[in-house]
Amino acid sequence: MGGRRLGVLIGLLAVAAVAIAAVWAAPIAFERMLRSYLQHHPEIIAEAIDRYQHREEQDATQKQRTLLAERSNELRFDPRSPVLGNPNGDVTVVEFFDYKCPFCRQLHPQIPQLLAAEPNLRLVLKEFPLLGPESSVAARASIAVWQHQPAKFAAFHDAMMRSTARLDENGVLRIARETGVDADGLMLDMADPRIDRSVTDTRALALALGINGTPGLIIGDTVIPGYIDAAEIRRLVAQARANCTS
């Protein structure tokens, strides 16, 4: 049996060698034959493209899940990132956001109801300023409040998200005073170079995960690069919880 298989293999290699030699000897004839075949069967090109795209998507998804696992602590438990909801919750939602982003502002009013309906949910906020200088000022202020005056963060964050005024330094300090934050201390805290480092690290993490805009959400091992409403977040939270217990 082994000799027979070896003979078949040698025969196949010989046929392949002849075919390759024919292609090299008569490339124009082969090209014409190939062109004619594809003209009569154009669906093969579409099938090949579909298969290639599907394989690329699968590879990208797998790489993303691997990265989520490798950087899970940085993503979910970085002490520099504000946490709302239940700090000991069984499911964590991570939101990359920008205070100037209209879609982040659209999602924000739904968050209190979401957290009330999901008492075991942790919400981790990642400042990802993309929309100019005001976004950067707001992000630095947010991180500084969380790090130095955490008890004031929730009220400050809510007021920043709802504000219709400019979020330059004067606007941010006005909101700080209105929400009981020590504005003078905040000015000093915002100058800490570690704040800028936090923003830089968050930006690098978002881009590595394929998040190029805001909001960007991560629920379990699912990355959502765009807006979804609270109902869809709850559905994905339930899915993530089921996956953890299965």
Side-chain angles (χ1 to χ4, degrees):
M1 181 65 76
R4 184 179 178 183
R5 288 182 178 175
L6 180 59
V8 171
L9 177 59
I10 293 172
L12 290 173
L13 290 173
V15 170
V18 171
I20 293 171
V23 171
W24 280 102
I28 297 177
F30 178 76
E31 181 181 342
R32 288 174 179 170
M33 181 181 67
L34 181 60
R35 182 185 298 274
S36 175
Y37 184 82
L38 292 177
Q39 286 175 341
H40 287 87
H41 302 279
E43 68 278 2
I44 290 178
I45 297 176
E47 290 174 5
I49 292 173
D50 287 343
R51 288 183 182 181
Y52 173 77
Q53 290 178 337
H54 180 65
R55 186 175 64 188
E56 288 289 295
E57 289 170 1
Q58 286 184 319
D59 289 346
T61 298
Q62 185 55 49
K63 289 178 182 178
Q64 197 173 65
R65 287 178 176 174
T66 299
L67 189 61
L68 285 173
E70 291 175 347
R71 303 182 72 171
S72 178
N73 285 338
E74 179 185 358
L75 185 65
R76 297 177 172 89
F77 299 105
D78 187 338
R80 300 174 297 180
S81 299
V83 177
L84 299 177
N86 185 343
N88 300 310
D90 61 345
V91 174
T92 298
V93 173
V94 180
E95 179 190 359
F96 290 84
F97 76 100
D98 183 326
Y99 280 109
K100 297 290 288 182
C101 166
F103 297 105
C104 300
R105 288 170 171 256
Q106 184 178 346
L107 175 61
H108 175 73
Q110 304 174 54
I111 296 300
Q113 292 86 352
L114 172 65
L115 296 178
E118 295 283 351
N120 271 334
L121 184 65
R122 293 177 74 243
L123 175 62
V124 175
L125 299 173
K126 297 280 192 183
E127 286 84 356
F128 188 23
L130 295 172
L131 300 177
E134 288 187 26
S135 294
S136 296
V137 169
R140 286 167 45 230
S142 173
I143 297 169
V145 171
W146 171 253
Q147 291 185 358
H148 296 279
Q149 303 179 61
K152 305 291 186 181
F153 177 80
F156 177 77
H157 174 70
D158 180 66
M160 291 276 283
M161 273 295 186
R162 296 179 184 276
S163 176
T164 57
R166 294 189 61 182
L167 294 181
D168 55 12
E169 188 171 288
N170 288 334
V172 165
L173 293 177
R174 177 184 55 78
I175 292 172
R177 295 186 187 96
E178 291 173 353
T179 54
V181 172
D182 176 4
D184 293 333
L186 178 59
M187 286 185 63
L188 296 175
D189 296 335
M190 288 172 63
D192 188 334
R194 289 175 295 183
I195 300 290
D196 290 330
R197 178 64 181 174
S198 178
V199 173
T200 299
D201 290 347
T202 295
R203 183 185 302 276
L205 179 61
L207 296 178
L209 291 169
I211 296 174
N212 302 305
T214 54
L217 297 167
I218 298 175
I219 306 171
D221 61 0
T222 301
V223 177
I224 304 99
Y227 170 84
I228 58 174
D229 62 19
E232 180 63 8
I233 293 175
R234 290 198 67 188
R235 186 188 71 78
L236 293 170
V237 166
Q239 179 179 300
R241 187 171 284 129
N243 290 340
C244 288
T245 57
S246 60

Coordinates of all heavy atoms in Angstrom, one line a residue, residues 58-90:
Q58 N -12.3 37.2 9.7 CA -12.1 36.2 10.8 C -10.8 36.4 11.5 O -10.7 36.4 12.7 CB -12.2 34.8 10.2 CG -13.6 34.3 9.9 CD -13.6 32.9 9.4 OE1 -12.7 32.5 8.6 NE2 -14.5 32.1 9.9
D59 N -9.7 36.7 10.7 CA -8.4 37.0 11.2 C -8.4 38.2 12.1 O -7.8 38.2 13.2 CB -7.4 37.1 10.1 CG -7.1 35.8 9.4 OD1 -7.5 34.7 9.9 OD2 -6.5 35.9 8.3
A60 N -9.1 39.3 11.6 CA -9.1 40.5 12.4 C -9.9 40.3 13.7 O -9.4 40.8 14.8 CB -9.8 41.6 11.6
T61 N -11.0 39.6 13.7 CA -11.7 39.3 14.9 C -10.9 38.5 15.9 O -10.9 38.8 17.1 CB -13.0 38.5 14.5 OG1 -13.8 39.3 13.7 CG2 -13.8 38.2 15.8
Q62 N -10.2 37.5 15.4 CA -9.4 36.7 16.3 C -8.2 37.5 16.9 O -7.9 37.4 18.1 CB -8.8 35.5 15.5 CG -8.0 34.5 16.4 CD -8.8 34.0 17.6 OE1 -10.0 33.6 17.4 NE2 -8.3 34.1 18.8
K63 N -7.6 38.4 16.1 CA -6.6 39.2 16.6 C -7.1 40.2 17.7 O -6.5 40.5 18.7 CB -5.9 40.0 15.5 CG -5.0 39.2 14.5 CD -4.5 40.0 13.4 CE -3.7 39.2 12.4 NZ -3.2 40.0 11.3
Q64 N -8.3 40.7 17.4 CA -8.9 41.6 18.4 C -9.2 40.9 19.7 O -9.0 41.5 20.8 CB -10.2 42.2 17.7 CG -10.8 43.4 18.4 CD -12.0 43.9 17.6 OE1 -13.0 43.3 17.5 NE2 -11.8 45.1 17.0
R65 N -9.8 39.7 19.6 CA -10.1 39.0 20.8 C -8.8 38.6 21.6 O -8.8 38.6 22.8 CB -10.8 37.7 20.5 CG -12.3 38.0 20.1 CD -13.0 36.7 19.7 NE -14.4 37.0 19.4 CZ -15.3 36.1 18.9 NH1 -14.9 34.9 18.7 NH2 -16.5 36.5 18.7
T66 N -7.7 38.3 20.9 CA -6.5 38.0 21.5 C -5.9 39.2 22.3 O -5.5 39.2 23.4 CB -5.4 37.5 20.5 OG1 -5.9 36.3 19.9 CG2 -4.1 37.3 21.2
L67 N -6.1 40.4 21.6 CA -5.6 41.6 22.2 C -6.5 42.0 23.4 O -5.9 42.5 24.4 CB -5.7 42.8 21.2 CG -5.0 44.1 21.6 CD1 -3.5 43.9 21.9 CD2 -5.2 45.1 20.5
L68 N -7.8 41.8 23.3 CA -8.7 42.0 24.5 C -8.2 41.2 25.7 O -8.2 41.7 26.8 CB -10.1 41.7 24.1 CG -10.8 42.7 23.2 CD1 -12.2 42.1 22.8 CD2 -11.0 44.0 23.9
A69 N -7.9 40.0 25.4 CA -7.4 39.1 26.5 C -6.1 39.6 27.1 O -5.9 39.6 28.3 CB -7.3 37.6 26.1
E70 N -5.2 39.9 26.2 CA -3.8 40.3 26.6 C -3.8 41.6 27.4 O -3.0 41.8 28.3 CB -2.9 40.4 25.4 CG -2.6 39.1 24.8 CD -1.8 39.3 23.5 OE1 -1.7 40.4 23.0 OE2 -1.2 38.3 23.0
R71 N -4.7 42.5 27.1 CA -4.7 43.8 27.7 C -6.0 44.1 28.5 O -6.4 45.2 28.8 CB -4.6 44.9 26.6 CG -3.3 44.7 25.8 CD -3.1 45.7 24.7 NE -2.7 47.0 25.3 CZ -2.3 48.0 24.6 NH1 -2.2 47.9 23.2 NH2 -1.9 49.2 25.1
S72 N -6.5 43.0 29.1 CA -7.8 43.1 29.8 C -7.6 43.9 31.1 O -8.5 44.8 31.3 CB -8.2 41.7 30.2 OG -9.4 41.7 31.0
N73 N -6.6 43.8 31.8 CA -6.4 44.6 33.0 C -6.3 46.1 32.7 O -6.9 46.9 33.4 CB -5.2 44.1 33.8 CG -5.4 42.8 34.5 OD1 -6.6 42.5 34.8 ND2 -4.3 42.1 34.9
E74 N -5.5 46.4 31.7 CA -5.3 47.8 31.3 C -6.7 48.4 30.8 O -7.0 49.5 31.1 CB -4.3 47.9 30.1 CG -4.1 49.3 29.6 CD -3.2 49.3 28.4 OE1 -2.7 48.2 28.0 OE2 -3.0 50.3 27.8
L75 N -7.5 47.5 30.1 CA -8.7 48.0 29.6 C -9.8 48.2 30.7 O -10.5 49.2 30.7 CB -9.2 47.0 28.6 CG -10.5 47.3 27.8 CD1 -10.3 48.5 26.9 CD2 -10.9 46.0 27.0
R76 N -9.9 47.3 31.6 CA -11.0 47.2 32.6 C -10.6 47.7 34.0 O -11.5 48.1 34.7 CB -11.5 45.8 32.6 CG -12.1 45.3 31.3 CD -12.6 43.9 31.4 NE -13.4 43.5 30.2 CZ -12.8 43.0 29.1 NH1 -11.5 42.8 29.1 NH2 -13.5 42.7 28.0
F77 N -9.3 47.6 34.3 CA -9.0 47.9 35.7 C -7.8 48.9 35.9 O -7.2 48.9 36.9 CB -8.6 46.6 36.4 CG -9.7 45.6 36.4 CD1 -9.6 44.5 35.6 CD2 -10.8 45.7 37.2 CE1 -10.7 43.5 35.5 CE2 -11.8 44.8 37.2 CZ -11.8 43.7 36.4
D78 N -7.7 49.8 34.9 CA -6.7 50.8 35.0 C -7.2 51.9 36.0 O -8.3 52.4 35.8 CB -6.5 51.5 33.7 CG -5.4 52.5 33.7 OD1 -5.0 53.0 34.7 OD2 -4.9 52.8 32.6
P79 N -6.5 52.1 37.1 CA -7.0 53.0 38.2 C -7.2 54.4 37.7 O -7.8 55.2 38.4 CB -6.0 52.9 39.3 CG -4.8 52.4 38.6 CD -5.2 51.5 37.5
R80 N -6.6 54.8 36.6 CA -6.7 56.1 36.0 C -8.0 56.3 35.4 O -8.4 57.5 35.1 CB -5.5 56.4 35.0 CG -4.1 56.3 35.6 CD -3.1 56.4 34.6 NE -3.1 55.4 33.6 CZ -2.3 55.2 32.6 NH1 -1.3 56.2 32.4 NH2 -2.4 54.3 31.7
S81 N -8.7 55.3 35.1 CA -10.0 55.4 34.3 C -11.2 55.4 35.3 O -11.3 54.5 36.2 CB -10.2 54.2 33.4 OG -9.1 54.1 32.4
P82 N -12.1 56.4 35.1 CA -13.2 56.5 36.0 C -14.1 55.2 35.9 O -14.3 54.6 34.8 CB -14.0 57.7 35.5 CG -12.9 58.5 34.8 CD -12.0 57.5 34.2
V83 N -14.8 54.9 37.0 CA -15.7 53.8 37.1 C -17.0 54.3 37.6 O -17.1 54.9 38.7 CB -15.2 52.6 37.9 CG1 -16.2 51.5 38.0 CG2 -13.9 52.1 37.4
L84 N -18.1 54.0 36.9 CA -19.5 54.2 37.4 C -20.2 52.9 37.6 O -19.8 51.9 37.1 CB -20.2 55.1 36.4 CG -19.6 56.5 36.2 CD1 -20.5 57.3 35.1 CD2 -19.6 57.3 37.5
G85 N -21.3 53.0 38.3 CA -22.1 51.7 38.5 C -21.5 50.9 39.6 O -21.0 51.5 40.6
N86 N -21.6 49.6 39.6 CA -21.1 48.7 40.6 C -19.6 48.5 40.4 O -19.2 47.8 39.5 CB -21.9 47.4 40.6 CG -21.5 46.5 41.8 OD1 -20.5 46.7 42.4 ND2 -22.4 45.6 42.0
P87 N -18.7 49.0 41.3 CA -17.3 48.7 41.1 C -16.9 47.3 41.2 O -15.8 46.9 40.7 CB -16.6 49.5 42.2 CG -17.7 49.7 43.3 CD -19.0 49.7 42.5
N88 N -17.8 46.4 41.8 CA -17.5 45.0 41.9 C -18.4 44.2 41.0 O -18.7 43.0 41.2 CB -17.7 44.5 43.3 CG -16.7 45.2 44.3 OD1 -15.5 45.3 44.0 ND2 -17.2 45.8 45.3
G89 N -19.0 44.8 39.9 CA -19.9 44.2 39.0 C -19.3 43.0 38.3 O -18.1 42.9 38.1
D90 N -20.2 42.1 37.9 CA -19.8 40.9 37.2 C -19.5 41.0 35.7 O -18.9 40.2 35.1 CB -20.8 39.7 37.4 CG -22.2 40.0 36.9 OD1 -22.4 41.2 36.6 OD2 -22.9 39.1 36.7

